[in-house]
Structures are given as structure tokens and as C-alpha cells.
Amino acid sequence: MGGYYGSPASVMKNNKAQRVKKRTLKDWKDFVGVKEIQTEDHIRATPEMLAEIREKLQTENKLQLRKKIIKTVIFIAIIIIIIVFTVLNRYFSKNILY
């Protein structure tokens, strides 16, 4: 069977001749459109910078933890209030109406 509806194996075999045998890094750079990329990092982290970053992260984490604790306490308080009102409503509604 040949022609347009040929087997996928024969299509791959025929296309193999058109492909590049081995791609180099330069070929991929040209393909992507990047000619030269600076990979050297000029910023060096000093101990002072690291201490400042560490302190900033610690304060952010403390604030997030406080917010989580406050949200949890409020959620639990709302649940307790709902339970108390439900119990009181059932207790007083039975005694007053019947």
C-alpha cells in the first residue's frame, strides 16, 4: 500500500532522510532565537543580605500563622454558637409549645 495512505512506518522512514542526524547546542540556540545568554550570576549574597531575607521570611510566616489561628478560632466559635443555639432552641421549643 503506497501513496498518501501509506503505512506510518514507511512515512517515518522517508522523513528520516530529511531530519538532521545530530543537533548541537548552537542549532538549538538558533532555533529558539537566543544568540547568547549570560549565565554568570554577578550578585553575591552577603551574610547581611541572608540575615535580612531570613528575618523577612520569618515575619511573613508568623503573620500567616497568626491569620490561620485567628480564622480557625473564629470558625470553631461559630460552630459552637450554632450548636448552642440549636440545643437551646430544641429545649425551649419543647417546653413552651407542649
Side-chain angles (χ1 to χ4, degrees):
M1 183 184 239
Y4 182 73
Y5 296 105
S7 69
S10 65
V11 171
M12 291 300 292
K13 183 180 76 170
N14 293 337
N15 288 340
K16 191 174 187 179
Q18 297 174 356
R19 286 184 271 148
V20 177
K21 298 293 181 189
K22 184 177 179 184
R23 290 199 182 263
T24 61
L25 182 60
K26 185 178 179 183
D27 294 335
W28 284 107
K29 282 184 181 178
D30 291 337
F31 177 73
V32 174
V34 177
K35 298 299 179 190
E36 288 186 23
I37 299 174
Q38 293 181 352
T39 57
E40 186 176 336
D41 187 17
H42 296 291
I43 300 174
R44 300 286 181 202
T46 62
E48 293 83 15
M49 290 173 66
L50 292 175
E52 182 181 333
I53 293 170
R54 185 179 300 114
E55 185 69 28
K56 182 180 177 183
L57 287 174
Q58 286 177 351
T59 55
E60 288 176 1
N61 289 340
K62 285 179 184 179
L63 287 174
Q64 287 179 356
L65 182 63
R66 285 181 188 167
K67 287 179 183 179
K68 286 180 183 178
I69 291 173
I70 290 171
K71 288 178 183 178
T72 305
V73 168
I74 290 172
F75 182 72
I76 291 172
I78 290 172
I79 290 176
I80 290 173
I81 290 171
I82 291 172
I83 291 172
V84 167
F85 279 132
T86 306
V87 169
L88 289 175
N89 188 21
R90 287 188 182 195
Y91 176 73
F92 285 116
S93 65
K94 288 181 181 179
N95 289 338
I96 293 174
L97 294 176
Y98 298 111

